[in-house]
Amino acid sequence: MEDIMHIQSLFLRRVVSAVIGKAIQKAGYKANVLLNDLRVTHADKNKNVRVHLDIDAEMSEAELVNLLEKAGIV
């Protein structure tokens, strides 16, 4: 059996965008977030979850560098 969640409506995308934005703010970053697409697929046979997330985020260059440094990318 396979479960699929696909959020397409503007209302729910805005709700999820707000939640993601709040999580980013709690982490100490300032960014405007817009969720474009979210798809989650779960199959019982392999117990893996596949997540496709398409987000646009707008932040200052300094915030981006800070975020990348904290993630160990730069």
Side-chain angles (χ1 to χ4, degrees):
M1 177 181 270
E2 183 176 72
D3 295 321
I4 299 173
M5 177 177 64
H6 189 189
I7 296 179
Q8 291 181 302
S9 74
L10 181 59
F11 172 75
L12 282 178
R13 285 187 294 131
R14 285 186 177 169
V15 169
V16 174
S17 295
V19 169
I20 293 168
K22 294 276 185 191
I24 289 172
Q25 286 178 355
K26 280 187 175 182
Y29 302 99
K30 293 181 183 178
N32 294 323
V33 177
L34 176 62
L35 175 67
N36 297 315
D37 189 29
L38 171 63
R39 279 183 254 154
V40 180
T41 306
H42 176 263
D44 287 338
K45 60 185 172 195
N46 57 11
K47 298 190 181 204
N48 289 331
V49 176
R50 182 180 182 136
V51 178
H52 167 80
L53 189 59
D54 180 3
I55 294 178
D56 289 327
E58 186 175 327
M59 65 183 73
S60 70
E61 184 177 329
E63 289 285 335
L64 177 61
V65 170
N66 189 13
L67 180 65
L68 294 175
E69 285 175 349
K70 188 171 183 180
I73 296 172
V74 293

